Amino acid sequence: MNPDHLKCVVCGREFPAAPDATVCPHCSGDVNRPGILDLVYAQDFPGSDLRVEDFRSPDRKAGLWAFEKLLPVQTGAPRISLGEGHTPLVSVPALAGRLGLPSLHLKNECQSPTGSLKDRVAPIVVAKALEAEARVMIVISSGNMANAVTAFGAANGLKTVVIVSPDATPDRVLHSAVSGAMVLRVRGSSADRINLCLEAAREFGWYTATSPYNPYGSHGAKTIAYELFAQAKPFDWIVFPVGFGCNIVGVWKGFKDLEKLGFIEQPPRFAAVQPEGSPSVVRAFERGLNEAVPGPQDTIAGGISQVATPNSRLVLNALYSTNGTAVAVSDRELTDSVLMLAGRAGLFVEPAGAAALAGLKRLVQSGTIKETDRVCLLITGSGFKEPIPFKYLNMPTFPEIDPSVDRLGEVLPPEVLKTR
């Protein structure tokens, strides 16, 4: 796709669609709520010659590049795939029965190359870095985006500098480190770290890979909409974990593409889920605002813990335009949902990845989502990258016994032993 220009969501100024564009220089005073640049198509919508069959039977070996005509990359530029995209849409009868939702599916992004949805964002970011002839990228991340950018960067011969908070767990940045990234723990607030990334990029000529401060990355998430269109009947609801908001914005853009192509009449309704300890979008939605309300960062769900959501204008636009909603959930609800996904769907996910289920339970209880609704949960990241400490899961200790059937009978509960 050949983009036409970039437009600031705050002031409306337009800029060339340069590969190294970041945020609006006139609206960058508040780093937590900057002038994000939104990509605007050329007058002739790209991919107008695409057919339904192009979505139903994509070239899976090409990864995201199976949908290249709808992605903001130059024709003929390098395309390296690590097997991203084309993740399964999973039917989960045990979980669906527990929730009373006969038509429930999970879009399982845990099967991505580095274990998260960010493997859809990173290929686009890295492709634009190559267009900009960059040699080094810099990214601020709680882990998933850093791992993805580093992996795709390494496969394309690029180096990555990763900025994380001092309390980032080794599990979340291990993939980045072994892929050759220079991982730095930086003290201060999230705004301090974001400012450092933007300033360092300008000072050293590095490429800004942090989405949404990079205007192109969210377009990789558009491919989720394309795949859902190909994989199932239309959904009534899609439920998203939301941090920076690139996933929900990208999927919304993807469904808008399908609308323009005439393949769907309208997108599903969107539900954004955030932790109660980091509810910037939820606060704004509840007040009918068009920009996030900054708040605390106090949650175990590091992947969606933000003082504010820089992409919030587009996130809220997606919610309002789809007649959607937003809901905040507690850390206890997140851990309960981690256990429920493992126990009833067989998926071990990180707390941020379980947020969609936690939000769904709230929305079912409130009557917002009804039994007859067709629902898709976006499961964004593997639990192997951010295991929850046992103290949060309230799990029993593991008994150690001698190899004796009698001893086995003593430690196991009756419902396990009496199966016949």
Side-chain angles (χ1 to χ4, degrees):
M1 180 184 84
N2 293 316
D4 187 12
H5 62 273
L6 297 164
K7 184 175 182 179
C8 175
V9 299
V10 176
C11 70
R13 289 183 173 90
E14 296 181 355
F15 304 90
D20 57 353
T22 53
V23 296
C24 175
H26 305 281
C27 305
S28 57
D30 184 348
V31 74
N32 284 314
R33 295 185 293 184
I36 294 297
L37 297 181
D38 190 26
L39 186 66
V40 178
Y41 292 125
Q43 186 172 2
D44 295 327
F45 181 69
S48 57
D49 59 337
L50 289 171
R51 305 164 301 162
V52 171
E53 291 74 19
D54 295 319
F55 293 88
R56 303 284 190 206
S57 302
D59 180 4
R60 294 175 182 270
K61 293 181 180 179
L64 257 59
W65 307 116
F67 306 107
E68 181 173 342
K69 287 187 177 181
L70 295 172
L71 299 176
V73 290
Q74 288 183 353
T75 303
R79 304 283 183 268
I80 293 181
S81 171
L82 300 181
E84 72 288 341
H86 313 291
T87 54
L89 185 65
V90 184
S91 176
V92 283
L95 181 60
R98 175 69 176 80
L99 297 172
L101 293 172
S103 184
L104 175 65
H105 289 79
L106 311 181
K107 184 63 168 166
N108 181 16
E109 294 297 298
C110 300
Q111 293 194 14
S112 302
T114 72
S116 85
L117 177 145
K118 298 303 184 183
D119 288 327
R120 295 179 184 269
V121 177
I124 307 301
V125 170
V126 172
K128 300 305 286 187
L130 292 173
E131 287 182 22
E133 299 182 346
R135 293 185 297 172
V136 178
M137 300 179 292
I138 185 168
V139 60
I140 178 174
S141 172
S142 62
N144 285 337
M145 185 63 177
N147 293 337
V149 167
T150 301
F152 282 88
N156 283 276
L158 299 179
K159 292 293 185 182
T160 308
V161 176
V162 172
I163 302 296
V164 299
S165 69
D167 58 356
T169 64
D171 297 305
R172 292 190 67 80
V173 294
L174 178 60
H175 196 144
S176 296
V178 298
S179 298
M182 292 151 279
V183 180
L184 302 172
R185 298 182 184 275
V186 176
R187 293 184 289 271
S189 67
S190 60
D192 293 330
R193 288 184 283 274
I194 292 168
N195 272 322
L196 175 62
C197 281
L198 296 175
E199 290 174 12
R202 290 191 293 266
E203 177 70 20
F204 303 116
W206 296 341
Y207 188 79
T208 301
T210 303
S211 192
Y213 299 92
N214 180 300
Y216 303 104
S218 64
H219 286 254
K222 294 198 305 183
T223 56
I224 291 176
Y226 306 155
E227 292 175 22
L228 290 177
F229 168 69
Q231 288 171 319
K233 295 179 181 179
F235 287 106
D236 298 300
W237 285 93
I238 303 178
V239 187
F240 300 81
V242 171
F244 273 169
C246 297
N247 57 359
I248 193 170
V249 169
V251 177
W252 176 56
K253 288 178 178 291
F255 277 112
K256 298 301 285 184
D257 287 351
L258 294 169
E259 252 189 299
K260 292 175 183 176
L261 289 167
F263 296 159
I264 64 171
E265 293 184 2
Q266 61 185 21
R269 299 175 72 181
F270 284 7
V273 185
Q274 293 189 300
E276 289 179 348
S278 190
S280 58
V281 164
V282 176
R283 287 179 173 183
F285 182 84
E286 291 175 344
R287 302 175 193 179
L289 305 177
N290 66 358
E291 191 166 311
V293 179
Q297 279 185 281
D298 184 18
T299 174
I300 62 171
I304 51 175
S305 175
Q306 312 296 341
V307 172
T309 299
N311 227 10
S312 62
R313 287 177 179 261
L314 294 176
V315 173
L316 289 160
N317 195 1
L319 295 179
Y320 295 140
S321 69
T322 62
N323 192 26
T325 191
V327 62
V329 296
S330 67
D331 280 359
R332 172 48 60 188
E333 289 173 289
L334 290 171
T335 55
D336 288 347
S337 296
V338 168
L339 292 173
M340 183 175 283
L341 281 167
R344 295 186 178 269
L347 297 180
F348 178 39
V349 306
E350 64 182 2
L357 175 58
L360 173 65
K361 289 190 286 185
R362 283 248 182 150
L363 295 170
V364 169
Q365 290 167 1
S366 68
T368 304
I369 290 182
K370 299 176 172 50
E371 178 183 356
T372 54
D373 286 335
R374 297 160 297 183
V375 180
C376 176
L377 301 185
L378 191 59
I379 307 300
T380 53
S382 169
F384 294 107
K385 302 179 73 172
E386 189 179 26
I388 303 176
F390 267 47
K391 65 180 180 180
Y392 292 116
L393 292 178
N394 194 29
M395 294 187 69
T397 58
F398 302 138
E400 182 177 336
I401 66 171
D402 295 323
S404 161
V405 171
D406 290 339
R407 184 69 182 112
L408 197 64
E410 293 173 1
V411 300
L412 292 178
E415 63 267 24
V416 173
L417 296 171
K418 296 179 180 178
T419 58
R420 61 186 180 189

